[in-house]
Each structure stands twice: as C-alpha cells, then as structure tokens.
Amino acid sequence: MNFKSALGALRIVGILEGISFLSFLVTMPLKYMMDITAPNKIVGMAHGVLFIAYVFLVFWASTETKWDLKTKFWAYLASLLPFGTFVADAKIFKPTQESLKSI
C-alpha cells in the first residue's frame, strides 16, 4: 500500500476509517456511562474527516479503475458498516490493485 495512486491512498484511508469507526466502541461508553466527553469529540472529528476522505477516494479510484456500478455500490456501503472497510479492502481494493500490477 502506498499513496502513489488513488487506490493505494484509498486502502490506507479505508483502514484508518475502519479503526476510527470501531474506536466508538470505547468512546461511546466513556461518554454516556462516565460523562467523559473529550475522547468522543476527538474520535468523532477524526472519523468525520476520514469518512469524507474515504468517500472522495472511492470516487477517485473508481474513475481511475473504471469500476462497474455494483463495485462502487459495495465500496460506498462499506463505509457505513462496522468492519465494512476492512472487508472492502480484502474483497475489492486489494484484488484490484494486484490486477493493476500484473498489467
């Protein structure tokens, strides 16, 4: 994975976005059970920025790689589901990157 292509950047941002999404499993109980709001604000801001970057990079990578509508749909849907970006990386992004290397 590298930032030299839109697909490489998408893979990295996808992993970070998935981690930020799962970080809410820690920060939400802190916020609502212990009234500690600072971690949730930090994770929320990071997650928001990474989510927007992910959506932008899916658009960019899909235009470069000419994904069909079904592949684009699953890539976008992955951003809304827990563990979705990890599955998208394994099932969509990594195979696409490997097929581009063989060309």
Side-chain angles (χ1 to χ4, degrees):
M1 287 191 282
N2 59 24
F3 277 112
K4 292 182 181 177
S5 68
L7 191 57
L10 173 60
R11 290 188 67 198
I12 293 168
V13 169
I15 297 297
L16 293 174
E17 199 273 337
I19 292 168
S20 73
F21 194 2
L22 294 176
S23 297
F24 283 120
L25 292 173
V26 175
T27 62
M28 294 302 272
L30 287 175
K31 179 179 179 180
Y32 290 108
M33 293 179 186
M34 299 179 189
D35 287 328
I36 304 172
T37 60
N40 202 40
K41 289 178 182 178
I42 295 166
V43 169
M45 177 60 85
H47 176 67
V49 169
L50 288 167
F51 175 79
I52 292 168
Y54 178 86
V55 169
F56 172 74
L57 286 168
V58 166
F59 175 76
W60 187 13
S62 69
T63 56
E64 281 189 359
T65 58
K66 297 179 177 44
W67 285 338
D68 60 350
L69 189 59
K70 181 181 171 184
T71 305
K72 289 179 196 179
F73 170 78
W74 287 114
Y76 283 119
L77 182 66
S79 68
L80 303 175
L81 303 172
F83 301 102
T85 55
F86 302 119
V87 174
D89 183 60
K91 300 284 185 180
I92 302 170
F93 310 146
K94 186 176 181 181
T96 302
Q97 194 170 42
E98 289 174 354
S99 69
L100 291 174
K101 284 182 182 178
S102 64
I103 295 175

